[in-house]
Every structure is written in structure tokens, then in C-alpha cells.
Amino acid sequence: MCGIVGYIGDKDVYPILIKGLKRLEYRGYDSTGLALCNNGINLYKQKGKVSDLEAYVADKDINGSIGIGHTRWATHGEPNDTNAHPHSSMKNKFSIVHNGIIENYADLKNDLLKKGYTFSSDTDTEVLANLIEYFYEQDSEITAEYAVRLALSKVVGAYGIVVISNDEQNKLIAARKGSPLVLGIGKGEYFIASDASPIVEYTEHVVYLNDFDLVIIEKESFTLKNIENNPVSVKIQQLNLEIGELDKGDFEHFMLKEIFEQPQTIADTFRGRLRPGQQDIVLGGLIDVLPQIVNAERIIIIGCGTSWHAALIGEYLIEEYARVPVEVEYASEFRYRNPILSEKDVVISISQSGETADTIAALNMAKEKGALILGICNVVGSTISRETKAGVYTHAGVEIGVASTKAFSAQVTVLTMLALKLAKEKNTIGEELYSILISELSTIPEKVKTIILNHPQIKEVAKKYMNAINALYLGRGYLFPVALEGALKLKEISYIHAEGYAAGEMKHGPIALVDDNLPVVVVAPQDDYYEKIVSNIQEVKARKGNIIAVVTEGDKRLKEMVDDVLEIPKSHPAVAPLLAVIPLQLLAYHIAVLRGCNVDQPRNLAKSVTVE
Ligand code: G6P
């Protein structure tokens, strides 16, 4: 949430920052800004996208080789030019970009107001800029870095900040607590950013900052310490990111590209792990803790948004095959509700970004209560992946579309492998079924390809329903979470109100909504629930609802009964979520595009929610 990029070196800073901001725009896109050092610090800020900022600076002096930039997802104060970052302190001694939330900003602001400080924005960030300046001015001996440390010691909340001092324009000062920052190490130049995407084309060497780290970055060197001024050991890591992953290629949108990538990304997720020849599954990141997971009394899976939906599928699979009690919790609820946890519990966090604030907080709470904490993350080097004892990377590659697609299928792939692995270890699955499921999983990429080939037909269906105001999604068993995910996709990117429901619950409320205007998307492949879901379809039909059914290829019965069918290849029910979700992603995508929505950057949303 919000993107930060900073540069210090000999190159022109403006193109580096603008390109970096474009890469970061998926994190927030309501306003953008730059601070460039060029005989003083010059600020350029605009409401809107990075392209608006480019137009704004077209006739301005943008020289300089040190600077910071920011793309914002508003928390305090509406998106406008004034609230855009960077923020300067009252006497322009400091300029700062900030991700996160300063929770005690109101108290700090009141104190500063009493000391004569004035504020031009509604942001918590300007409070921090003024607080740094206040400490700086207390004594002529106080350096910019010391003032930053003093100010941060007063802050309650989360921050990833980069600061420029007017008196010490030869350095950037960055610090982190709760909001990610990564330092890129070049030759005679350094980069600092909220993720590696603006850095990848310049260097492969990075240092991920940990909470309470502070780094002073000069052109020729950097110093890493903590905010209490103690040295911190530097761990330089190799960046594992291809620049091509950050481009749309020939696709109109990142979301479509990412949907189309799924045959490959699912295969990447199980590559080297799923071993059909040897009838085995190897999850390298869990080997050391496998006995603890196998002996766990309970598994709790936490996540937010799409990751939470993947977690629900994990619950159904693990309970079915490994016979371990599983609970799935919204991280935002779990972290605050004082749950009962012990060292016999295993808490698995699922997060594409590995940076979601609620998930990190829930995880830390579980760790304090003694549970074994594990991560299923997509972003290598992310906070969750570093803070968990062990885990599994999903290997879906960079996901840029705000609405998650390929990360979801990768998460479900990992959870399916985990369920089967545990079942094998616990002896709760027969050899034959185990090997059937391993080969079923290995056929998924080819099957996903055939669904994607059907995408023009899905677009035709989208045309029929593009003007809907509401939509209902129904599913049963493993496909109930898929119905939730289908509804979320439609809601996120088309702004059509959509609800996902367990089909059996329909008669307890949602059926009241059914009339001849309501599209009802029913996930109805031929599985054990088929007859039951056919009954649900009949109940909707009897009330004149329009039904779009996701069906098994060749299902003539449902084809005659419903308005539109989206076919998926036949599969074992345990792997059906990986197929059934694809037409729902494409349906939401086409409806949103037909409605003229910005599918990659839907309004009010952000890809990585690093604030509460
Ligand atoms: C945001 C994104 C969603 C994502 C959720 C959880 O809301 O827009 O697509 O599912 O955060 O993110 P995570 O990175 O933890 O999976």
C-alpha cells in the first residue's frame, strides 16, 4: 500500500523515479509526488496517476541526481495535491515519503501545534516531518539522522520512510517498522524502494530492511543500524526477479496476462515438489518442521481477501484427507480476539505479498502464544517469508493486477500438495487415492489451457450480463470458496455488487433477491454434490433468475436447464477449484472491461495492504 522509491548516485534521478513509480503504481494510485535535490529540495505533487505527474512537471526543472518519489493510497486526508507525498516540514528542512500509519499522530500534532508548528495537509506524514524538524532544531549538534531517530522513538504505528534533509542533501535516510523497504546496491549508486520492482533493472543485490532498521545512504556507501543507534549486520541478498515479469507483453491488461499465465504458474508451483513418477510430494521449505505439523492438534490458516478464500479450500482439503482439525480466520479478526492457542497448534499464514499488515500482526500474536508459525507467500524475501519459521513459496511470479488471480491458483496448489503430503505422513490416505490425486494435480495446467482457449465464449456471456446491478455466486464443498472468490473478483473490478454463498444457504436469505434481473452464477461440475446443486438451480429457475453455470464438459442436462454454461474439463473434485475459478476470473475480467473499468487498478483498492 503506497509505493516509495528513492535514488542517490550520478544519474539523472527523474527518469529513475518516474519509472519506479510506474512500477509501484499497483500499490496505490490516487496521487503521486517527487522531491528532487537541486540547489535545495524541490517538490512536485499531483492528484491522480503517475502520468498526471509527468504532465505536471513537463515544463519544470527536474534536474538532480538525488530524490525520492511516492505513489499514494490515501489513509489520512482525501487524495489531492496537498495530501500527496512527499511532505515537507514547516521550515522546509526535511522532506519525507511515508508508507504506513502513525497512530498517535493526533497527539503528536497537538504538541507541535502548541509549539507553533503549522500544517498544510491532513496527513499523519506531515506530522512526522515536523516532528523531525522540531528535534533537529533543539540543538545545533543534532544531525538529520539523530533527529529522525528521536522522532521515530515517539511514533506509535507503522512506517516505511525515506527522508531528505535540506542541510544534508548528500544522503537519504530510510527507516522501517511494519512497512517494507528494500535497499538496492549499485556501483556508486543506491536505490531504496517499498519493493524490488523499481530496482530490478539496475542491480541484483539488495538488502531487505527489518523492523526498526535505519539506513543512511550516501553515494559511495551506506550504514545500517537500528533506530536506537546500534549497528545491525548487513545481509546482502540476490534478487530473484526477471524484468520481463513486470511488463504486460501483448496483453491489454496485467490481469488478463496473469489469468493466461496460470497453466505455467501452476506448473511452476508444483515443479520439483509434485513427483508423479515417484508417487510423492516434497515440500522442501517444510521438511524441518514436518513432524511438528503432522503431530499438530489443530491447524489454523489465516489470511485476507483472496488469500482467505484459498485458505478455506485448504481447510476442506486438509480435513478431508489428513484428518486434522482446521480453522480458517480472517487475520484482521484473529489478531484482536484473543484466540486460544498453544504450542500444539500450527498457524499457517497465506499472503501473496507477504506484507499484509493484519496477517503479519496475527502471525506475531500466534508466535507469542507459542504456536508454530508458517508462511505460504508469493513474494520472495517478503516480511512474512522472513518472519516465519518455515514455509512454501508459491512461485507464481510477480502479480501486478490488483485483483489476485494466478497467486490464488498457486496458493490452492500449495494447499492441495500440503493436504496430500500430511495425509500420506499420517496414513490417512490410501496409496491408490494418493497417486490418483498426484496425477490429477499434474494434469491441471493442460486443463486450465483448454478453459482459457474458451475465452471468446466467456466474453460473449459477459456481454449479456455486463449491466447487472447485483450478482449471486453459489457453490458447494470445495467450490463454495470458489463461489466466494468469483463474487469477489466481480465486485473488485466491475463494481457490481456480488455475493458468494454456500448453495445450501441460499434459501436462508439470498433467494429473496432472485428475480429476472439477477444473474446467478452456479459452480456445478459433476461431483458428489451435483444432484443437490441441480436442485438449487431449479429453485432459482422457478423464480426466473438467470443462471450461468460452470459445468463439466459435455453436461447436457444442465445445458438445457440454465441460460449459459461455462465448461471445465472433468477432474477429481479435490482439484476442481483450480479449474472452476478460471472461467469466473475471465467472466469478471470481461464484464469489467466492457463496463469501461480500470481492471488493473480498481478504484479504492490496493495490491498490498500494509496498513490496518
Ligand atoms: C488486497 C488485495 C487482494 C488480496 C488481499 C490480501 O486486498 O487487493 O487481492 O487478496 O489484499 O493480500 P495478500 O498479499 O496478503 O495475499
Side-chain angles (χ1 to χ4, degrees), residues 301 310-320 324 326-328:
I301 317 181
L312 285 178
I313 297 172
E315 175 185 20
Y316 280 49
L317 287 165
I318 296 170
E319 289 209 345
E320 170 73 30
V324 192
V326 180
E327 287 170 25
V328 173

Side-chain angles (χ1 to χ4, degrees), residues 236-253:
I236 298 177
Q237 286 178 262
Q238 182 86 10
L239 206 52
N240 192 5
L241 183 64
E242 294 289 328
I243 191 133
E245 294 181 51
L246 304 170
D247 286 334
K248 273 196 290 226
D250 293 334
F251 288 90
E252 203 182 332
H253 297 102

Side-chain angles (χ1 to χ4, degrees), residues 458-459 461-468 471 473 490 493-496 519 521 548 584-597 599:
I458 299 175
K459 186 172 179 182
V461 175
K463 284 181 188 161
K464 282 175 70 178
Y465 300 101
M466 61 176 279
N467 293 318
Y473 284 67
L490 187 70
I493 58 172
S494 74
Y495 317 137
I496 294 172
V521 180
I548 306 149
L584 301 189
Q585 295 169 345
L586 283 165
L587 184 66
Y589 170 80
H590 284 300
I591 290 179
V593 172
L594 289 164
R595 286 165 71 94
C597 300
V599 292

Side-chain angles (χ1 to χ4, degrees), residues 312-484:
L312 285 178
I313 297 172
E315 175 185 20
Y316 280 49
L317 287 165
I318 296 170
E319 289 209 345
E320 170 73 30
Y321 293 108
R323 309 307 297 158
V324 192
V326 180
E327 287 170 25
V328 173
E329 298 260 3
Y330 285 119
S332 55
E333 284 295 310
F334 191 63
R335 64 180 287 193
Y336 286 120
R337 70 169 188 79
N338 194 18
I340 301 165
L341 278 171
S342 78
E343 61 283 355
K344 292 182 181 138
D345 294 317
V346 172
V347 175
I348 305 177
S349 56
I350 305 194
S351 174
Q352 185 286 129
S353 62
E355 301 293 351
T356 302
D358 282 323
T359 311
I360 294 170
L363 206 56
N364 288 336
M365 183 266 286
K367 191 182 192 175
E368 271 165 32
K369 287 180 183 269
L372 170 67
I373 58 164
L374 306 174
I376 297 177
C377 292
N378 194 39
V379 177
V380 176
S382 57
T383 304
I384 292 178
S385 65
R386 285 180 292 131
E387 288 189 358
T388 41
K389 177 111 171 83
V392 185
Y393 279 121
T394 44
H395 295 318
V398 180
E399 189 180 66
I400 291 180
V402 165
S404 184
T405 52
K406 64 176 182 173
F408 173 80
S409 51
Q411 290 166 341
V412 175
T413 304
V414 168
L415 288 161
T416 310
M417 289 190 289
L418 178 62
L420 296 179
K421 180 75 189 167
L422 290 180
K424 183 80 192 313
E425 294 290 318
K426 291 174 78 76
N427 254 327
T428 50
I429 192 168
E431 287 291 338
E432 196 188 352
L433 181 57
Y434 184 66
S435 75
I436 287 175
L437 289 174
I438 287 180
S439 34
E440 280 279 332
L441 197 50
S442 69
T443 63
I444 290 295
E446 282 307 313
K447 289 179 178 169
V448 170
K449 259 188 214 163
T450 67
I451 303 171
I452 285 172
L453 284 176
N454 212 13
H455 128 95
Q457 185 246 331
I458 299 175
K459 186 172 179 182
E460 290 309 308
V461 175
K463 284 181 188 161
K464 282 175 70 178
Y465 300 101
M466 61 176 279
N467 293 318
I469 295 165
N470 293 297
L472 186 61
Y473 284 67
L474 303 174
R476 281 178 179 260
Y478 300 120
L479 300 171
F480 157 53
V482 170
L484 295 179

Side-chain angles (χ1 to χ4, degrees), residues 465 513-519 540 543-547 563:
Y465 300 101
L513 302 173
V514 178
D515 61 14
D516 54 3
N517 284 320
L518 185 79
V540 174
R543 289 158 183 88
K544 301 198 165 32
N546 300 300
I547 296 188
D563 298 84

